[in-house]
Amino acid sequence: MLTEVGTTMGEALPLWRMSLPGRPLTGLTVLVVEDSRFASEAVRLLCLRSGARIRRADCLRSAARHLKTYRPAVVIVDLGLPDGDGADLIRQIATCEPRVPVVLGISGDPDMRDNAMQAGADGFLAKPVESLAVFQQAILSALPQAVPAGPRILPDDMIQPDASGLRDDLAHVAEILSSAQNTAAIDYIARFLAGVARSAHDDDLEQAATALARDHQAGHAVATDLARISGLVQDRLSKVAEV
């Protein structure tokens, strides 16, 4: 008898569907808990190319609502969320019964891998996630008894999210910058923007976000860092608007 992997409440996935050529995640539902629209769009495209359905939550509170109503086969959790630590959600999901079959951490900071794994994640994705092979393998290797033994041809496709997601992320940062006064807001700007910059392959913006995080953690004045980031964000917004 074939083992089945649950996807949503009352729904199950026959394992033979997992081997459909080019779409090995057919029938699976993926919940991505990610506040970046740009990163979420990348995961959406990867799911689309792999045959999976996708749902998105942009914070811990939204993720909790999703998980109360259905049971996805895969949950991908960003480690830095606007209302808390993604590792806490990973820990909660990993200890619930019945357990979600696959829980992955994701972050623009590769050093966050240990945090995700210690919390109980089955794997980790470092932004930017652009390789279809890397995405599929991260899920398939963690999905219990999902794929028959033996070699599998991995695609070499790379995806590129639409610039509209990047524009939304930059506009989000610009809005927060206009009223950023407290420690929490500054920490969030640095973490969020570093991930967005890495996903967009924007080295200057990533360095500016990293400098903000470093100076803020050291207790240094950050007015100069914030002014630099504000200028860079406005510059990027104007360029994205021209595309």
Side-chain angles (χ1 to χ4, degrees):
M1 178 181 296
L2 288 176
T3 305
E4 295 181 334
V5 177
T7 53
T8 59
M9 295 294 186
E11 182 181 356
L13 174 69
L15 288 185
W16 63 264
R17 295 185 66 189
M18 301 296 295
S19 60
L20 292 176
R23 298 169 68 85
L25 305 185
T26 295
L28 297 184
T29 297
V30 176
L31 171 63
V32 56
V33 187
E34 170 64 72
D35 52 339
S36 165
R37 291 290 301 275
F38 194 56
S40 296
E41 176 62 10
V43 175
R44 187 189 73 82
L45 292 174
L46 291 164
C47 286
L48 183 66
R49 295 288 298 276
S50 303
R53 297 183 293 269
I54 182 171
R55 298 195 182 194
R56 180 190 177 225
D58 60 3
C59 63
L60 294 175
R61 182 177 299 180
S62 177
R65 290 196 298 267
H66 279 279
L67 291 168
K68 282 182 180 178
T69 57
Y70 72 98
R71 181 173 177 258
V74 182
V75 181
I76 301 174
V77 183
D78 183 35
L79 273 295
L81 293 165
D83 57 347
D85 187 351
D88 292 336
L89 178 59
I90 291 174
R91 190 173 295 107
Q92 176 186 340
I93 296 173
T95 55
C96 281
E97 293 293 342
R99 188 188 188 280
V100 171
V102 180
V103 184
L104 303 177
I106 184 171
S107 175
D109 182 357
D111 292 338
M112 296 299 289
R113 176 185 179 87
D114 288 346
N115 293 40
M117 302 306 289
Q118 289 171 8
D122 301 302
F124 179 80
L125 293 167
K127 298 177 189 176
V129 186
E130 300 171 330
S131 166
L132 193 60
V134 168
F135 178 75
Q136 291 180 0
Q137 190 62 22
I139 294 175
L140 293 173
S141 62
L143 201 56
Q145 302 179 359
V147 184
R152 187 175 72 87
I153 298 176
L154 294 174
D156 55 7
D157 307 49
M158 303 293 286
I159 62 94
Q160 178 58 49
D162 188 87
S164 63
L166 177 59
R167 181 178 61 246
D168 289 346
D169 284 350
L170 292 170
H172 176 55
V173 172
E175 181 179 359
I176 298 175
L177 278 168
S178 66
S179 59
Q181 298 293 333
N182 58 55
T183 296
I186 294 173
D187 284 342
Y188 177 70
I189 289 170
R191 182 175 62 248
F192 179 82
L193 194 57
V196 171
R198 182 165 294 187
S199 294
H201 301 282
D202 190 330
D203 292 340
D204 289 344
L205 194 58
E206 183 180 353
Q207 289 172 11
T210 302
L212 173 62
R214 181 182 62 245
D215 290 344
H216 190 245
Q217 290 172 2
H220 298 156
V222 296
T224 301
D225 292 321
L226 289 172
R228 180 188 176 199
I229 284 176
S230 181
L232 289 172
V233 168
Q234 292 302 324
D235 176 68
R236 272 51 175 182
L237 273 171
S238 64
K239 291 179 179 178
V240 172
E242 295 171 358
V243 175

